[in-house]
């Protein structure tokens, strides 16, 4: 009886592992906890950068991407998010602004800085 139960457990474990491999090989991707569209509201606290701006970006498998259009033209948005929600986003490349913060479920917050300005931001899932 004991051998029969152990054999059944071994077969079940093999089926579960094999099924997981088939899903991974079949091209199915796990959706990250923060994947989707996000809106952001950026406020300036110091410096001559204006009062702030708003925009949208997306997160896919921990990667941030998007484009903001404003008075200074189109600016590329790049960055990454950890599985725990800490993130860094850059708007406008090396000479742009850097935002660091935290995402939690449907909202996020943090601070940003550029060469002559700084401030805070709020972000939420669309």
């Amino acid at each position: 009886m004991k051998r029969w139960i152990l054999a059944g457990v071994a077969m079940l474990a093999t089926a579960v592992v094999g099924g997981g491999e088939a899903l991974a090989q079949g091209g199915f991707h796990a959706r990250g906890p923060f994947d989707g569209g996000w809106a952001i509201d950026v406020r300036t606290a110091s410096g001559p950068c204006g009062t702030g701006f708003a925009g949208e970006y997306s997160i896919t498998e921990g990667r941030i991407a998007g484009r903001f259009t404003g008075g200074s033209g189109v600016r590329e948005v790049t960055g990454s998010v950890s599985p725990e929600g800490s993130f860094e986003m850059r708007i406008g490349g090396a000479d742009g602004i850097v935002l660091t913060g935290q995402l939690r479920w449907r909202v996020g917050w943090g601070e940003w800085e550029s060469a002559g300005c700084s401030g805070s931001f709020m972000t939420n899932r669309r």
Side-chain angles (χ1 to χ4, degrees):
M1 178 82 160
K2 227 181 205 182
R3 267 190 232 164
W4 182 79
I5 291 172
L6 289 175
V9 168
M11 286 173 48
L12 178 61
T14 301
V16 169
V17 170
E21 288 174 17
L23 283 175
Q25 293 172 1
F28 295 102
H29 296 285
R31 188 168 158 85
F34 305 106
D35 283 4
W38 289 76
I40 189 166
D41 186 24
V42 179
R43 296 291 170 213
T44 303
S46 66
C49 294
T51 58
F53 64 92
E56 296 180 353
Y57 62 97
S58 64
I59 300 174
T60 305
E61 296 178 8
R63 294 274 184 229
I64 297 172
R67 291 182 181 195
F68 288 174
T69 304
S72 60
V74 177
R75 301 188 71 164
E76 196 74 26
V77 178
T78 60
S80 61
V81 180
S82 76
E84 295 79 29
S86 61
F87 75 98
E88 181 174 300
M89 180 168 34
R90 186 174 293 275
I91 301 173
D95 62 337
I97 68 173
V98 176
L99 301 92
T100 56
Q102 184 69 44
L103 299 178
R104 291 278 188 240
W105 191 58
R106 299 188 59 82
V107 299
W109 60 91
E111 298 178 346
W112 66 272
E113 63 182 12
S114 66
C117 303
S118 63
S120 62
F121 67 90
M122 295 291 295
T123 187
N124 63 294
R125 196 183 301 251
R126 293 186 298 162

